[in-house]
Amino acid sequence: MSFLNIDSAKERTFDAIVVGSGISGGWAAKELTGKGLRTLVLERGRDVKHVTDYPTTMMQPWEFQHGGQLTKEYRDANPIASRCYANREDANHFFVKDAEHPYVQEKPFDWIRGYQVGGKSLMWARGTQRWSQYDFEGPARDGFAVEWPIGYADIAPWYSYVEKFAGISGNKDGLPQLPDGEFLPPHEQSCVEKHFTEQMAKHYNGTRPIIIGRCAHLTKPQPIHLQQGRGQCQNRSLCQRGCPYGGYFSSNSSTLPWAAKTGKLTLRPDSVVHSIIFDEKKNKATGVRVIDAHTKEMTEYYAKIIFVNAACLNTNLVLLNSKSNRFPNGLGNDNGLLGKYVAFHNFRTGISAEHDGFQDTTTEGIRPNSSYIPRFRNVFKQETTGPGSRFLRGYAAGFGSSRATDVDTSGMGEDLKNSLMQPKYGNWRVSSHMMGETIPKESNFVALDSSLTDAWGIPQLKISVAYDDNDEKMIRDFHEQMSEMLTVSGFKNIQTHDNPNKAPGLDIHEMGGVRMGKDPKTSLLNKWNQFHTCKNVFVTDGACMTSTSTQNPSLTFMAITARAANHAVEELRKGNL
């Protein structure tokens, strides 16, 4: 019997374990298997195979039973998930249903999740801007959060590394606050977006550039992308369904199959991670406890190194639940800061306008991207006078345009067909949404509920995250500045939009709780994303972020993960882990 137990434990022992198969988990799997490590990837959701498990991807609009909309029954049963812009009839099979995975909202928070192989990399918005040195220097310079243990010089080579593999389209704009990358050809701005860009250069002397967004789409596939089996983006803008062409980057189309090709990957879907196992005699983690999603049987898996990439808030949950005699309040939580200093991006507000020029032009086709307004407030230093001095940090913004159309649908038969083929065009319309940096605060936290558990007996996560006065001041500045910028550019009918009742969370950019830092007294992770007090456990998803800046964060998660995984392998080979 003892030999059977030894064999069983051996079968459950790997060189590395990765918790989570989303955008950062996929990168950890790729790097670790690529270096020869037998790697187990645990995913709490079902398996989703590239191409074959995208059931709606080739459907036509008329094939959807409800015209592409969510039903009232679904909305009533899933008020949180229904609020996500990407959750429609063609994609709601990728979104977690509210009742199946409950959590406690101590303050209102819309937690949007994708529990399947690939995670949210199937449904993300694909914006991929680098951070600059000014973003990493922000906390130390402006006196909030704690100092980052790394700077742009540390991460820049890894940005290049992941950009080449993932495929990032963009233009080399030469902006110090938004460093250029390894770009595929950019998408094109519309004539109205180009006009706005020119007007900003004219009126603001180059301090408020407008650029085409940088995004993870293959506008011109390179050999490395073809080797992944991916093809050129077809500009369908149906990305939330899963792309059978591999036109945008996802774990399913890129990193996970690449890892599988090494023969070193074991992927185990339907595996709900309960906690990390800490061995006090060895003074390190030795594995993870996993509950089967269906049978609810618990199994232990073992490895020399563990990467926790369960997505920010779930990573916090797993670590808080990883209690031992050495760490009674969660793994590595000697300083009591685990779960605290959670931050996000404020997407609460926007602005729209019209332009009555360019009547002889319109757009044809679809572009899965928009223009982008890099942060111009408090970039190089904290402003001490003027409107920018009223708040810390700043905001970026998306900026899109389209030509309004008026179609007569009153006819029948051939008359209706002719009307549909000959729409009447109205003015150009533009819209912009703010992406504001929020300040990490101890009062914004997640914790384990003391009484409520989920279907697997794991404590539910309690979320206590809210806007603050700095966010409100930033919103007012966005309205004032964008109104001014649109006015001097000749736009009319300018209207601001804000919904104070819109809870945080719909940005799906939650970060922090297991922050990096230089001092073990004020942070959980070191500059290589290792726990200060448990060196063989790495956290490289959004939970590791010390601050949020304004850029879409996924590219930074990818670069940080690749950097940490390569360091982990080096340390393992030196016998340091």
Side-chain angles (χ1 to χ4, degrees):
M1 190 66 182
S2 60
F3 288 112
L4 291 176
N5 287 337
I6 291 171
D7 288 343
S8 174
K10 198 178 286 185
E11 290 173 358
R12 289 180 280 116
T13 301
F14 298 81
D15 296 321
I17 292 174
V18 178
V19 180
S21 64
I23 217 158
S24 64
W27 267 99
K30 173 189 172 294
E31 296 304 304
L32 296 171
T33 57
K35 297 292 184 182
L37 269 59
R38 290 179 59 250
T39 302
L40 172 66
V41 174
L42 297 166
E43 166 55 50
R44 67 178 294 152
R46 64 187 173 92
D47 195 9
V48 171
K49 289 187 168 52
H50 181 50
V51 181
T52 56
D53 287 334
Y54 305 151
T56 61
T57 190
M58 303 304 284
M59 287 176 64
Q60 299 298 325
W62 55 85
E63 296 181 280
F64 288 96
Q65 186 177 359
H66 304 100
Q69 302 301 310
L70 300 175
T71 64
K72 183 178 184 304
E73 181 183 16
Y74 179 92
R75 288 181 177 278
D76 289 345
N78 300 279
I80 297 169
S82 298
R83 285 194 277 270
C84 179
Y85 73 98
N87 188 3
R88 300 190 292 266
E89 187 180 13
D90 62 352
N92 66 28
H93 47 282
F94 289 145
F95 286 80
V96 161
K97 293 179 174 58
D98 295 0
E100 294 178 1
H101 300 277
Y103 62 98
V104 179
Q105 299 183 64
E106 190 165 273
K107 297 174 183 175
F109 187 91
D110 291 329
W111 189 13
I112 305 300
R113 292 157 287 172
Y115 290 163
Q116 60 261 326
V117 168
K120 291 178 290 188
S121 77
L122 285 168
M123 314 110 78
W124 67 311
R126 307 165 308 283
T128 41
Q129 297 87 22
R130 292 188 180 197
W131 280 34
S132 75
Q133 61 177 341
Y134 307 106
D135 298 306
F136 286 103
E137 291 171 358
R141 186 193 72 188
D142 297 338
F144 68 95
V146 295
E147 185 176 355
W148 274 88
I150 61 173
Y152 181 70
D154 297 302
I155 201 75
W158 296 100
Y159 274 136
S160 293
Y161 180 73
V162 300
E163 285 167 344
K164 289 175 183 175
F165 190 83
I168 307 297
S169 77
N171 187 55
K172 289 189 180 295
D173 300 295
L175 305 175
Q177 71 272 42
L178 203 71
D180 292 331
E182 310 290 337
F183 294 145
L184 302 173
H187 292 109
E188 184 180 5
Q189 290 181 303
S190 74
C191 59
V192 174
E193 292 164 15
K194 290 177 181 175
H195 165 76
F196 193 41
T197 298
E198 293 165 359
Q199 292 298 306
M200 290 301 96
K202 174 183 175 182
H203 292 285
Y204 293 94
N205 196 29
T207 61
R208 298 188 181 187
I210 315 294
I211 65 172
I212 186 65
R214 300 162 180 181
C215 63
H217 283 258
L218 298 183
T219 52
K220 186 178 181 181
Q222 301 300 299
I224 187 63
H225 307 124
L226 300 177
Q227 291 170 30
Q228 297 170 37
R230 300 169 58 199
Q232 184 163 338
C233 171
Q234 304 295 301
N235 293 334
R236 303 191 314 157
S237 284
L238 300 174
C239 311
Q240 72 279 358
R241 300 181 183 182
C243 180
Y245 306 98
Y248 73 87
F249 174 84
S250 69
S251 297
N252 310 65
S253 67
S254 181
T255 46
L256 290 176
W258 192 267
K261 284 198 296 187
T262 66
K264 301 288 185 181
L265 175 70
T266 299
L267 175 62
R268 194 179 193 283
D270 300 311
S271 300
V272 181
V273 172
H274 175 278
S275 55
I276 310 295
I277 303 167
F278 184 81
D279 188 313
E280 293 180 37
K281 292 181 179 176
K282 296 179 179 177
N283 195 34
K284 64 180 181 181
T286 54
V288 299
R289 301 181 186 90
V290 173
I291 301 174
D292 186 283
H294 303 295
T295 67
K296 299 184 180 175
E297 179 184 1
M298 180 176 283
T299 307
E300 294 185 351
Y301 294 90
Y302 309 105
K304 299 169 186 170
I305 58 174
I306 299 165
F307 271 68
V308 188
N309 298 84
C312 177
L313 299 188
N314 262 325
T315 286
N316 275 275
L317 190 160
V318 169
L319 296 170
L320 286 164
N321 202 41
S322 299
K323 298 178 179 178
S324 61
N325 289 330
R326 169 66 183 84
F327 296 114
N329 299 312
L331 187 71
N333 193 18
D334 286 347
N335 55 24
L337 297 180
L338 182 60
K340 298 179 179 177
Y341 295 96
V342 171
F344 57 98
H345 283 156
N346 182 358
F347 272 49
R348 201 181 80 185
T349 193
I351 193 168
S352 62
E354 293 185 15
H355 199 289
D356 58 12
F358 309 99
Q359 294 293 314
D360 58 342
T361 59
T362 186
T363 55
E364 187 170 323
I366 305 172
R367 181 190 64 187
N369 193 5
S370 67
S371 284
Y372 182 81
I373 306 174
R375 181 158 69 98
F376 55 83
R377 283 297 198 211
N378 302 316
V379 177
F380 307 110
K381 62 178 182 179
Q382 173 63 42
E383 297 169 31
T384 55
T385 60
S389 65
R390 295 182 297 206
F391 54 89
L392 280 173
R393 314 303 291 158
Y395 49 83
F399 186 81
S401 65
S402 63
R403 188 83 188 271
T405 57
D406 181 15
V407 180
D408 181 4
T409 59
S410 60
M412 296 285 286
E414 186 174 353
D415 289 342
L416 174 60
K417 182 179 178 182
N418 290 333
S419 296
L420 294 175
M421 295 294 288
Q422 297 176 0
K424 296 177 182 177
Y425 288 102
N427 286 336
W428 280 91
R429 293 176 179 170
V430 298
S431 62
S432 178
H433 61 277
M434 188 185 86
M435 297 183 278
E437 177 173 0
T438 64
I439 304 301
K441 301 182 293 292
E442 189 169 10
S443 56
N444 276 350
F445 67 90
V446 296
L448 301 182
D449 191 86
S450 59
S451 57
L452 297 173
T453 57
D454 64 15
W456 299 272
I458 297 173
Q460 291 187 23
L461 192 67
K462 180 170 61 181
I463 302 177
S464 185
V465 174
Y467 301 111
D468 63 14
D469 183 57
N470 197 67
D471 301 323
E472 301 298 334
K473 290 175 179 174
M474 199 180 291
I475 287 172
R476 287 197 289 275
D477 190 72
F478 172 82
H479 290 164
E480 292 170 3
Q481 298 308 311
M482 284 299 298
S483 295
E484 177 186 293
M485 292 157 64
L486 290 167
T487 298
V488 301
S489 302
F491 289 89
K492 300 175 180 176
N493 192 21
I494 299 168
Q495 298 183 27
T496 59
H497 315 280
D498 184 30
N499 180 5
N501 295 321
K502 183 177 179 179
L506 290 181
D507 51 294
I508 323 178
H509 289 179
E510 53 266 17
M511 288 173 260
V514 199
R515 67 183 180 185
M516 299 169 70
K518 294 182 176 179
D519 187 348
K521 294 179 181 176
T522 58
S523 61
L524 281 302
L525 308 172
N526 68 13
K527 66 179 181 179
W528 295 108
N529 297 80
Q530 298 166 280
F531 269 96
H532 291 300
T533 52
C534 186
K535 291 288 196 299
N536 68 329
V537 176
F538 297 75
V539 177
T540 63
D541 60 14
C544 77
M545 300 295 279
T546 305
S547 61
T548 73
S549 192
T550 59
Q551 292 88 321
N552 306 63
S554 295
L555 181 69
T556 300
F557 299 166
M558 293 190 243
I560 281 178
T561 301
R563 176 178 180 269
N566 281 269
H567 176 75
V569 174
E570 290 176 6
E571 290 296 290
L572 196 60
R573 289 174 177 167
K574 291 176 184 174
N576 293 336
L577 295 176

